[in-house]
Amino acid sequence: MPELPEVEVVRRGLERWVAQRTVADAEVLHPRAVRRHVAGADDFAHRLKGHRIGTPSRRGKYLWLPLEDTHQAVLAHLGMSGQLLVQPHELADEKHLRIRVRFADGLGTELRFVDQRTFGGLSLHDTTPDGLPDVIAHIARDPLDPLFDDELFHQALRRKRTTIKRALLDQSLISGVGNIYADEALWRARVHYERPTATFTRPRTAELLGHARDVMNAALDVGGTSFDSLYVNVNGESGYFDRSLDAYGREGLPCRRCGTPMSRRAWMNRSSYFCPKCQRAPRS
Ligand SMILES: [Zn+2]
């Protein structure tokens, strides 16, 4: 699954190559790719036609293209293998091309949604007064959002009777922090993933948010990152980033701070990686 930095890289690519272009027509080559658009493929194509794409937007890992003058937006679900590519018309179709959007201009490129495993897709939704597709109105702001409220997040943490990693992955509290970045931020902050949120002081919350922002910004600086080699950014360059991860995937390797072998524990159908010395388990 792409993480927030990859999605932001795609968003920036779309902003550069697709924003302010008017849709000439949209072609759905596989109905599964628009299954979240309940009215169907013809309706999807009809509603896009003739509208200008506004500034591509993102919240957490959700990405959408506003349609100007409609109060509607195209929400992109990248799923496991979805790619949004801007390609020259003359370039042969990708094997797993699902949706093609042509534009009414002479720029010579089109937008393609390519998805090998077809878990992803595009769908059109009404937008809220904030400009969010209505189906994601409940998703909290992400920590890279300038309007993310640190104090509000801290208060929510204190009220919630949960543990910190669960809270970091709770999209109604904070969005865009996936399993990888949660482990990285917790390692940097020397916090065990099962620490109760009720024990968090304001400085500790601030420190953890700072680390979460640092790891995501570092990934953004090198153009996004993903473990899925199928992921390609909007320019067609591989978004695969050989990151220097400090926690995730490092079971048995020495902690980069203290040298203790890193641990892995099964956690909510995933894994948590941590240093058993730097990140002491809370007393139960
Ligand atoms: Zn350590």
Side-chain angles (χ1 to χ4, degrees), residues 187 255-260 262 275-279:
W187 180 84
C255 168
R256 292 209 168 106
R257 203 160 35 216
C258 75
T260 304
M262 298 287 289
C275 171
K277 188 175 177 200
C278 297
Q279 298 164 266

PDB file of all heavy atoms in Angstrom, residues 187 255-260 262 275-279, ligand 1:
ATOM      1  N   TRP A 187       9.990   4.569  17.337  1.00  0.00           N
ATOM      2  CA  TRP A 187      11.406   4.264  17.619  1.00  0.00           C
ATOM      3  C   TRP A 187      12.172   5.557  17.911  1.00  0.00           C
ATOM      4  O   TRP A 187      12.913   5.643  18.883  1.00  0.00           O
ATOM      5  CB  TRP A 187      12.053   3.511  16.446  1.00  0.00           C
ATOM      6  CG  TRP A 187      13.497   3.175  16.702  1.00  0.00           C
ATOM      7  CD1 TRP A 187      13.988   2.104  17.387  1.00  0.00           C
ATOM      8  CD2 TRP A 187      14.643   3.946  16.289  1.00  0.00           C
ATOM      9  NE1 TRP A 187      15.363   2.154  17.435  1.00  0.00           N
ATOM     10  CE2 TRP A 187      15.790   3.270  16.767  1.00  0.00           C
ATOM     11  CE3 TRP A 187      14.793   5.136  15.569  1.00  0.00           C
ATOM     12  CZ2 TRP A 187      17.085   3.750  16.540  1.00  0.00           C
ATOM     13  CZ3 TRP A 187      16.081   5.617  15.347  1.00  0.00           C
ATOM     14  CH2 TRP A 187      17.205   4.919  15.824  1.00  0.00           C
ATOM     15  N   CYS A 255      19.855  -2.308  16.943  1.00  0.00           N
ATOM     16  CA  CYS A 255      19.251  -0.978  17.056  1.00  0.00           C
ATOM     17  C   CYS A 255      20.303   0.060  16.689  1.00  0.00           C
ATOM     18  O   CYS A 255      21.442  -0.016  17.163  1.00  0.00           O
ATOM     19  CB  CYS A 255      18.750  -0.765  18.488  1.00  0.00           C
ATOM     20  SG  CYS A 255      18.294   0.946  18.860  1.00  0.00           S
ATOM     21  N   ARG A 256      19.926   1.025  15.851  1.00  0.00           N
ATOM     22  CA  ARG A 256      20.907   2.017  15.396  1.00  0.00           C
ATOM     23  C   ARG A 256      21.291   2.994  16.506  1.00  0.00           C
ATOM     24  O   ARG A 256      22.177   3.815  16.333  1.00  0.00           O
ATOM     25  CB  ARG A 256      20.354   2.779  14.184  1.00  0.00           C
ATOM     26  CG  ARG A 256      20.244   1.892  12.954  1.00  0.00           C
ATOM     27  CD  ARG A 256      20.383   2.672  11.642  1.00  0.00           C
ATOM     28  NE  ARG A 256      20.549   1.740  10.528  1.00  0.00           N
ATOM     29  CZ  ARG A 256      19.605   1.459   9.645  1.00  0.00           C
ATOM     30  NH1 ARG A 256      18.439   2.066   9.704  1.00  0.00           N
ATOM     31  NH2 ARG A 256      19.840   0.601   8.679  1.00  0.00           N
ATOM     32  N   ARG A 257      20.615   2.905  17.651  1.00  0.00           N
ATOM     33  CA  ARG A 257      20.952   3.789  18.769  1.00  0.00           C
ATOM     34  C   ARG A 257      21.784   3.056  19.820  1.00  0.00           C
ATOM     35  O   ARG A 257      22.757   3.579  20.314  1.00  0.00           O
ATOM     36  CB  ARG A 257      19.657   4.331  19.373  1.00  0.00           C
ATOM     37  CG  ARG A 257      19.787   5.622  20.135  1.00  0.00           C
ATOM     38  CD  ARG A 257      18.434   6.321  20.280  1.00  0.00           C
ATOM     39  NE  ARG A 257      17.363   5.340  20.421  1.00  0.00           N
ATOM     40  CZ  ARG A 257      16.150   5.483  19.906  1.00  0.00           C
ATOM     41  NH1 ARG A 257      15.827   6.571  19.233  1.00  0.00           N
ATOM     42  NH2 ARG A 257      15.230   4.557  20.069  1.00  0.00           N
ATOM     43  N   CYS A 258      21.353   1.819  20.157  1.00  0.00           N
ATOM     44  CA  CYS A 258      21.998   1.159  21.304  1.00  0.00           C
ATOM     45  C   CYS A 258      22.597  -0.213  20.968  1.00  0.00           C
ATOM     46  O   CYS A 258      23.245  -0.816  21.827  1.00  0.00           O
ATOM     47  CB  CYS A 258      20.988   1.020  22.448  1.00  0.00           C
ATOM     48  SG  CYS A 258      19.762  -0.276  22.162  1.00  0.00           S
ATOM     49  N   GLY A 259      22.358  -0.712  19.758  1.00  0.00           N
ATOM     50  CA  GLY A 259      22.966  -1.978  19.362  1.00  0.00           C
ATOM     51  C   GLY A 259      22.203  -3.232  19.758  1.00  0.00           C
ATOM     52  O   GLY A 259      22.532  -4.334  19.317  1.00  0.00           O
ATOM     53  N   THR A 260      21.175  -3.098  20.584  1.00  0.00           N
ATOM     54  CA  THR A 260      20.355  -4.253  20.983  1.00  0.00           C
ATOM     55  C   THR A 260      19.606  -4.798  19.759  1.00  0.00           C
ATOM     56  O   THR A 260      19.113  -4.010  18.954  1.00  0.00           O
ATOM     57  CB  THR A 260      19.311  -3.815  22.047  1.00  0.00           C
ATOM     58  OG1 THR A 260      20.014  -3.218  23.138  1.00  0.00           O
ATOM     59  CG2 THR A 260      18.474  -4.977  22.535  1.00  0.00           C
ATOM     60  N   MET A 262      16.822  -5.731  17.327  1.00  0.00           N
ATOM     61  CA  MET A 262      15.450  -5.235  17.215  1.00  0.00           C
ATOM     62  C   MET A 262      14.469  -6.409  17.292  1.00  0.00           C
ATOM     63  O   MET A 262      14.772  -7.512  16.853  1.00  0.00           O
ATOM     64  CB  MET A 262      15.261  -4.495  15.887  1.00  0.00           C
ATOM     65  CG  MET A 262      16.140  -3.261  15.722  1.00  0.00           C
ATOM     66  SD  MET A 262      15.612  -1.859  16.731  1.00  0.00           S
ATOM     67  CE  MET A 262      14.086  -1.390  15.875  1.00  0.00           C
ATOM     68  N   CYS A 275      12.808  -1.518  19.455  1.00  0.00           N
ATOM     69  CA  CYS A 275      13.999  -1.882  20.226  1.00  0.00           C
ATOM     70  C   CYS A 275      13.553  -2.186  21.654  1.00  0.00           C
ATOM     71  O   CYS A 275      13.004  -1.306  22.318  1.00  0.00           O
ATOM     72  CB  CYS A 275      15.007  -0.739  20.219  1.00  0.00           C
ATOM     73  SG  CYS A 275      16.365  -1.052  21.386  1.00  0.00           S
ATOM     74  N   PRO A 276      13.787  -3.421  22.115  1.00  0.00           N
ATOM     75  CA  PRO A 276      13.304  -3.780  23.455  1.00  0.00           C
ATOM     76  C   PRO A 276      14.002  -2.993  24.565  1.00  0.00           C
ATOM     77  O   PRO A 276      13.488  -2.926  25.669  1.00  0.00           O
ATOM     78  CB  PRO A 276      13.612  -5.282  23.555  1.00  0.00           C
ATOM     79  CG  PRO A 276      14.636  -5.561  22.517  1.00  0.00           C
ATOM     80  CD  PRO A 276      14.453  -4.531  21.436  1.00  0.00           C
ATOM     81  N   LYS A 277      15.156  -2.381  24.246  1.00  0.00           N
ATOM     82  CA  LYS A 277      15.842  -1.609  25.290  1.00  0.00           C
ATOM     83  C   LYS A 277      15.429  -0.126  25.272  1.00  0.00           C
ATOM     84  O   LYS A 277      15.132   0.452  26.311  1.00  0.00           O
ATOM     85  CB  LYS A 277      17.356  -1.727  25.119  1.00  0.00           C
ATOM     86  CG  LYS A 277      18.121  -1.119  26.277  1.00  0.00           C
ATOM     87  CD  LYS A 277      19.605  -1.361  26.150  1.00  0.00           C
ATOM     88  CE  LYS A 277      20.335  -0.662  27.289  1.00  0.00           C
ATOM     89  NZ  LYS A 277      21.753  -0.455  26.963  1.00  0.00           N
ATOM     90  N   CYS A 278      15.420   0.474  24.055  1.00  0.00           N
ATOM     91  CA  CYS A 278      15.066   1.896  23.946  1.00  0.00           C
ATOM     92  C   CYS A 278      13.568   2.121  24.144  1.00  0.00           C
ATOM     93  O   CYS A 278      13.148   3.209  24.533  1.00  0.00           O
ATOM     94  CB  CYS A 278      15.430   2.455  22.585  1.00  0.00           C
ATOM     95  SG  CYS A 278      17.176   2.448  22.204  1.00  0.00           S
ATOM     96  N   GLN A 279      12.764   1.114  23.792  1.00  0.00           N
ATOM     97  CA  GLN A 279      11.306   1.268  23.842  1.00  0.00           C
ATOM     98  C   GLN A 279      10.744   0.234  24.815  1.00  0.00           C
ATOM     99  O   GLN A 279      10.258  -0.807  24.403  1.00  0.00           O
ATOM    100  CB  GLN A 279      10.702   1.084  22.446  1.00  0.00           C
ATOM    101  CG  GLN A 279      11.182   2.107  21.428  1.00  0.00           C
ATOM    102  CD  GLN A 279      10.874   1.673  20.006  1.00  0.00           C
ATOM    103  OE1 GLN A 279      11.699   1.060  19.322  1.00  0.00           O
ATOM    104  NE2 GLN A 279       9.667   1.993  19.539  1.00  0.00           N
TER     105      GLN A 279
HETATM  106 ZN    ZN B   1      17.853   0.631  21.146  1.00  0.00          ZN
END
